[in-house]
Amino acid sequence: MRIIASDKKSDVTIVLLRDKKLPKNLSKSEKEALDFYGFKGEGSCLVSESRKFFVGIEKYDYEFPNALSDSLANAICSLKKLKIKSASIEVEREEEIGKICMGILLGAYSYEAFKSKKSEVSLKEIYLTSSSLDKKSLQKGILEAEALAISINYVRDLVNTPPQKATPKYMAESAENRAKEVGFECKIYDSKFLEKQKMEAFLAVARASVHEPYLVHLSYKPKGAKGQKLPKFVFVGKGLTYDSGGLSLKPGDYMTTMKADKSGACAVIGILEAVARLGINAEVHGILGLAENMIGGNAYKPDDVLRARNQKTIEVRNTDAEGRLVLADCLSFASDLEPDFLFDLATLTGACVVALGDYTTGIMGYNKGLKEEFAKVAFQSGELTGILPFNPYLGKLFKSEIADLCNIPSSRYGSAITAGMFLGEFVAESLRDKWLHLDIAGPAYVEKAWGVNPFGASGAGIRACVEFIKSKAK
């Protein structure tokens, strides 16, 4: 589906009802039709005679950034079912362009790779028109939104891909192919490299799987950046292509959707892709920890003691707390890059979902100002977040009698926070105030449509992180 800045006549005109107010210039037949359907500005309604599709904006103000995008995402699902080839929308303000485009492009997404019969969609083009903006401004906004939406929808495909296909090797090769296609660098490291790096925690998680683990290092620098002092960002992504829980085996119901445990790593690929497509003037790196947590005679066990890359020892009490072990070594590796900002993205804890709900990312870290700044930028991008405060008393809960740390706390209360504090132990001391932990367990994958997100993967974290990079880029 293409979005074009054009005044061409379309099959259907989408009429946006800002603040759910019906326009005053309705024809008599339109008033009668809307009255017949009982339409008062809620949801959407097609008046076939005039070929107008009325879309109510739930709460149209810029305090609630998703109102316009969400309404159009819902509308596009209905329009896709009609036998039309084109639709047009009038844009009033420049800031609406991106929201309209994201609503359409993200709302139109569906994952049908494994369906024998694909959905047939006639709608191919959406025309953006404006009486107050020139075509150049419209086209610029469209191209920026498309760059981001393409990256998000690609990430959704990756996350939705089932585990028998999306192995660590598949993920590494996907990242490499995307890097070549879009224009950033990719280095892939196998288990021999992990052994040389003394990443014992990472290797332990992958030990029982038939699929070899990989660490992938993605990097982007804008063309002509030589000699420039650019802000440096490093994003670390948890990439558990499947998590059975290991010997601390998950119950059957909890294994479903565990293909989404790679959402953090997938999001990092999407961030690098979006930055490269947009040509943002910043140095950006991505570190992916790709592994599969399985059972077998070679599986790591509760009671094992592992030595991480930074030489801290970890007592294993639960093999289902594996993501933090992979991230521990990846954060240590990422710290060596000495970034200005170090963020990790991970579907880390169910406790974060309990605390904040399905649709909200948990923000954690030591720097209060950085947490608040990121939350503000994330909100403006359309992503909802909640800050969970580190509590020094909770840090005592993951102390071990026989090692430096235990991989699970001694109390289940506050366990999203203790998981974040555990990760902080593997960030270089000099980077503590530059680091944020983003727990995307809630919004990364949901089995019901919400806002611009259909069933399944959402691409959580990409919009917020890209917007944050833009806010810091020169």
Side-chain angles (χ1 to χ4, degrees):
M1 191 177 296
R2 294 194 311 156
I3 303 177
I4 309 166
S6 175
D7 295 322
K8 283 171 66 176
K9 184 174 172 58
S10 61
D11 295 334
V12 168
T13 299
I14 298 172
V15 181
L16 301 177
L17 306 181
R18 295 163 173 86
D19 298 320
K20 296 186 286 188
K21 293 178 181 177
L22 291 168
K24 295 178 180 178
N25 60 346
L26 292 174
S27 67
K28 183 181 177 183
S29 60
E30 286 172 342
K31 288 179 181 177
E32 289 173 351
L34 294 175
D35 187 58
F36 176 78
Y37 290 118
F39 182 74
K40 303 293 184 185
E42 299 278 351
S44 59
C45 183
L46 174 67
V47 177
S48 55
E49 184 181 351
S50 61
R51 293 290 184 117
K52 289 183 180 179
F53 190 77
F54 295 90
V55 178
I57 311 301
E58 286 296 322
K59 184 182 177 185
Y60 192 74
D61 62 60
Y62 293 99
E63 300 267 323
F64 183 64
N66 291 322
L68 184 52
S69 297
D70 286 355
S71 297
L72 275 167
N74 291 329
I76 209 71
C77 291
S78 299
L79 284 171
K80 281 167 61 178
K81 298 173 185 176
L82 303 178
K83 297 295 181 182
I84 59 171
K85 293 182 179 180
S86 62
S88 60
I89 303 174
E90 171 75 17
V91 181
E92 288 188 357
R93 306 180 185 93
E94 191 169 352
E95 57 266 33
E96 289 182 347
I97 302 170
K99 298 176 189 301
I100 288 171
C101 293
M102 294 301 282
I104 292 166
L105 296 171
L106 298 184
Y109 173 88
S110 62
Y111 183 71
E112 298 185 340
F114 289 85
K115 287 195 173 185
S116 301
K117 189 176 180 180
K118 316 294 185 190
S119 299
E120 293 183 10
V121 179
S122 304
L123 184 59
K124 301 298 182 187
E125 294 181 336
I126 306 288
Y127 306 139
L128 295 194
T129 65
S130 180
S131 57
S132 57
L133 301 170
D134 59 42
K135 192 173 287 188
K136 188 176 179 181
S137 298
L138 287 173
Q139 196 59 43
K140 182 177 180 288
I142 291 168
L143 290 174
E144 288 181 359
E146 280 182 338
L148 194 54
I150 288 168
S151 302
I152 292 171
N153 285 336
Y154 170 74
V155 165
R156 288 171 167 182
D157 281 347
L158 266 187
V159 175
N160 285 327
T161 302
Q164 82 268 26
K165 183 176 181 181
T167 62
K169 184 178 181 181
Y170 174 92
M171 286 286 296
E173 290 176 347
S174 296
E176 184 177 44
N177 292 336
R178 206 66 173 178
K180 288 177 182 176
E181 179 185 335
V182 178
F184 54 95
E185 293 184 12
C186 176
K187 293 180 181 178
I188 299 173
Y189 300 106
D190 61 14
S191 55
K192 290 180 181 177
F193 177 85
L194 302 184
E195 288 168 7
K196 286 180 183 177
Q197 289 286 316
K198 298 181 180 178
M199 294 183 170
E200 191 176 303
F202 189 160
L203 285 164
V205 173
R207 208 160 62 201
S209 174
V210 296
H211 300 293
E212 185 179 4
Y214 292 92
L215 184 145
V216 177
H217 182 181
L218 308 174
S219 58
Y220 165 82
K221 281 187 180 180
K223 292 177 181 177
K226 195 173 181 180
Q228 288 188 54
K229 174 61 178 171
L230 300 176
K232 184 191 285 189
F233 301 82
V234 178
F235 296 91
V236 177
K238 174 187 171 185
L240 268 292
T241 58
Y242 193 74
D243 178 23
S244 69
L247 293 179
S248 304
L249 196 65
K250 292 179 184 290
D253 288 350
Y254 286 81
M255 285 198 207
T256 309
T257 75
M258 277 300 103
K259 65 181 180 181
D261 217 16
K262 60 184 182 291
S263 296
C266 294
V268 171
I269 299 172
I271 291 165
L272 266 291
E273 177 181 346
V275 167
R277 286 185 183 277
L278 292 167
I280 298 174
N281 204 33
E283 180 180 346
V284 185
H285 296 260
I287 306 298
L288 318 180
L290 305 174
E292 188 180 61
N293 186 24
M294 299 298 285
I295 59 173
N298 195 33
Y300 81 117
K301 304 170 286 294
D303 283 347
D304 281 351
V305 176
L306 309 173
R307 188 176 296 277
R309 182 179 183 272
N310 70 347
Q311 296 305 298
K312 289 186 178 180
T313 54
I314 306 165
E315 177 190 358
V316 177
R317 288 263 178 123
N318 189 318
T319 63
D320 195 22
E322 84 302 324
R324 64 198 69 184
L325 300 178
V326 172
L327 287 172
D329 281 337
C330 289
L331 282 166
S332 171
F333 181 86
S335 293
D336 289 355
L337 296 171
E338 299 181 344
D340 297 307
F341 299 96
L342 172 60
F343 295 173
D344 73 78
L345 294 91
T347 49
L348 202 65
T349 63
C352 194
V353 189
V354 173
L356 298 174
D358 280 331
Y359 314 113
T360 306
T361 293
I363 303 175
M364 287 165 258
Y366 298 100
N367 186 329
K368 183 175 182 288
L370 182 59
K371 287 185 289 185
E372 291 174 349
E373 183 182 5
F374 184 83
K376 183 179 179 181
V377 170
F379 187 78
Q380 290 167 350
S381 78
E383 295 203 50
L384 303 178
T385 62
I387 296 173
L388 298 177
F390 280 177
N391 182 326
Y393 296 103
L394 290 177
K396 299 175 182 179
L397 299 178
F398 54 78
K399 298 301 180 186
S400 167
E401 294 297 325
I402 61 169
D404 297 325
L405 303 163
C406 183
N407 80 322
I408 59 168
S410 56
S411 169
R412 65 190 179 93
Y413 299 113
S415 53
I417 296 171
T418 52
M421 294 179 75
F422 176 91
L423 294 180
E425 296 291 320
F426 301 91
V427 174
E429 194 74 36
S430 60
L431 296 173
R432 291 285 181 93
D433 281 344
K434 302 176 180 180
W435 166 69
L436 288 183
H437 163 53
L438 306 177
D439 193 330
I440 59 172
Y445 190 98
V446 175
E447 292 188 283
K448 51 186 175 293
W450 55 287
V452 297
N453 304 295
F455 175 99
S458 68
I462 298 172
R463 284 183 288 166
C465 290
V466 171
E467 194 63 31
F468 185 83
I469 296 169
K470 286 169 65 178
S471 74
K472 298 294 182 181
K474 297 177 181 178

